[in-house]
Amino acid sequence: MHQPRLSPLFYALLLVLFTAQCAKPRTELVVTVRTDLPWGPGQELQALTLTVRRGGPTGVVRFGQTSALGRGQGWQLPLAFGLSPADDTDLTPLWIEAFGCAAPDASACTADRAVVVQRALVTYRPDQIAYADLWLTRACAGVTCGAASRCAPTTGLCEPAALADREVR
């Protein structure tokens, strides 16, 4: 079984966040995407689509990217990225989706073709750096949940995506 290692980019991001935290209180959400499934060329997960929207599943797209997974050719897992509000007063909840796909063609990595899907509706914590984890787990592989739901990483059962906000650290 493939044991994921934290990438140097992850450590660099944490260093920047901790350094910035010393200067003044900051409102930011750091999202990590991890998996216990084998990933990379020829593995169970070969592409990843990440989308961040404001407010909910149909909100304005704030970030969206699809990439192949693999060392030297695409994203590596675990992946971490930081999101700051557009301004200090706009703390609109974020709808975050991650689709892990078996095909190496990144453009074909959509919700209906995904091996595993994870969703979260999370809110910023004013003047805090909060951490939200998206787990693409074996328990959720092949589980289809409604558009406003997510697969609970520990049970593999569908639940409201808003429950992910309770897990933000």
Side-chain angles (χ1 to χ4, degrees):
M1 179 174 187
H2 176 75
Q3 288 293 330
R5 291 182 5 174
L6 296 177
S7 71
L9 177 62
F10 179 77
Y11 290 112
L13 176 64
L14 285 178
L15 179 62
V16 167
L17 292 175
F18 288 131
T19 303
Q21 184 69 8
C22 296
K24 67 175 188 157
R26 182 179 177 125
T27 301
E28 188 165 15
L29 182 64
V30 176
V31 179
T32 57
V33 179
R34 298 185 283 165
T35 188
D36 60 359
L37 297 166
W39 61 270
Q43 300 295 317
E44 197 166 350
L45 298 182
Q46 296 185 51
L48 177 68
T49 295
L50 282 173
T51 307
V52 178
R53 297 177 181 273
R54 287 182 149 182
T58 59
V60 175
V61 174
R62 212 156 149 234
F63 171 84
Q65 187 167 347
T66 302
S67 179
L69 293 173
R71 290 169 178 74
Q73 69 166 3
W75 289 350
Q76 295 184 37
L77 297 178
L79 169 72
F81 60 101
L83 298 164
S84 297
D87 59 55
D88 288 339
T89 60
D90 183 12
L91 303 179
T92 305
L94 298 176
W95 178 262
I96 306 167
E97 290 182 300
F99 308 137
C101 298
D105 178 12
S107 65
C109 190
T110 59
D112 58 330
R113 293 184 177 177
V115 171
V116 63
V117 174
Q118 192 52 267
R119 296 181 176 103
L121 180 64
V122 295
T123 56
Y124 287 107
R125 307 311 198 247
D127 299 326
Q128 293 182 19
I129 298 176
Y131 299 88
D133 287 323
L134 292 180
W135 268 98
L136 301 176
T137 66
R138 183 162 303 286
C140 293
V143 175
T144 303
C145 296
S149 299
R150 72 170 188 158
C151 177
T154 54
T155 64
L157 301 174
C158 294
E159 65 182 18
L163 291 179
D165 201 46
R166 293 183 189 173
E167 300 166 1
V168 172
R169 308 183 306 282

